[in-house]
Amino acid sequence: MKLSTKVTELTAIIAPAVAACDVALWGVEFVPQGQRSLLRIYIEALPEEQAQGTQVTIENCAAVNHQVSGILEVHDPIAGEFILEVSSPGFDRAFFSDEQMHDYVGQTVSLRLIQAIGEGDKKRRKVTGILNSIDATNLTLTATDGEQFDIALSNIDKANLIYEDA
């Protein structure tokens, strides 16, 4: 889950504005689309508030949108027009860092890999399964077909939680 230089730059600019709104920054997506780009910011309740069942509200999103709009006007890090979206990460949340996955051990995740894993004609770049463990360099996952994989974190292009209604 390597972040682009632009996303890293935007995150550094945006993070203080999000924190000022008493919510946590989950991640930032930047999609350049010709003359009109998309900047999507994911926020969630602070950990102590999550423990009490507090969720992100529309008011939180509006406050972050207002704060970030002002910061972006001052810093002007995006050339041309852009659309700013602010939302919660949702149930099928994307992971923006390896550290975020630690809280989801035992749950189902979907990975898109940079290089295929597996043997022979069973090689795959996409794998979905139960996240068994994660450390500083690797994760272990049991795929839906029962096959177990040790995957280098550096080989993960994109990772999402798969919501399962309990």
Side-chain angles (χ1 to χ4, degrees), residues 68-77:
V68 169
S69 292
I71 293 293
L72 292 176
E73 249 183 63
V74 170
H75 290 275
D76 198 22

Side-chain angles (χ1 to χ4, degrees), residues 119-151:
E119 299 295 321
D121 62 345
K122 290 187 78 178
K123 285 192 169 210
R124 48 181 125 172
R125 285 191 58 221
K126 293 181 180 179
V127 62
T128 298
I130 303 296
L131 178 61
N132 299 322
S133 65
I134 184 168
D135 62 28
T137 57
N138 296 296
L139 63 77
T140 303
L141 180 134
T142 302
T144 51
D145 63 5
E147 193 171 356
Q148 187 164 330
F149 295 99
D150 290 318
I151 301 169

Side-chain angles (χ1 to χ4, degrees), residues 69-70 80 117 153:
S69 292
I117 57 171
L153 298 177

Side-chain angles (χ1 to χ4, degrees), residues 9-29:
E9 174 193 354
L10 289 166
T11 301
I13 294 168
I14 291 166
V18 172
C21 296
D22 294 325
V23 292
L25 178 62
W26 180 260
V28 174
E29 283 181 354

Side-chain angles (χ1 to χ4, degrees), residues 34-93:
Q35 293 183 2
R36 177 172 271 172
S37 300
L38 172 66
L39 176 59
R40 186 174 293 132
I41 301 169
Y42 295 100
I43 60 171
E44 65 176 9
L46 296 171
E48 55 274 11
E49 292 176 359
Q50 285 180 24
Q52 298 170 3
T54 302
Q55 301 292 321
V56 169
T57 65
I58 290 174
E59 290 79 15
N60 294 132
C61 292
V64 169
N65 189 308
H66 180 73
Q67 280 287 97
V68 169
S69 292
I71 293 293
L72 292 176
E73 249 183 63
V74 170
H75 290 275
D76 198 22
I78 300 172
E81 295 180 27
F82 65 94
I83 298 168
L84 174 60
E85 292 181 4
V86 180
S87 74
S88 77
F91 290 122
D92 291 340
R93 59 187 55 215

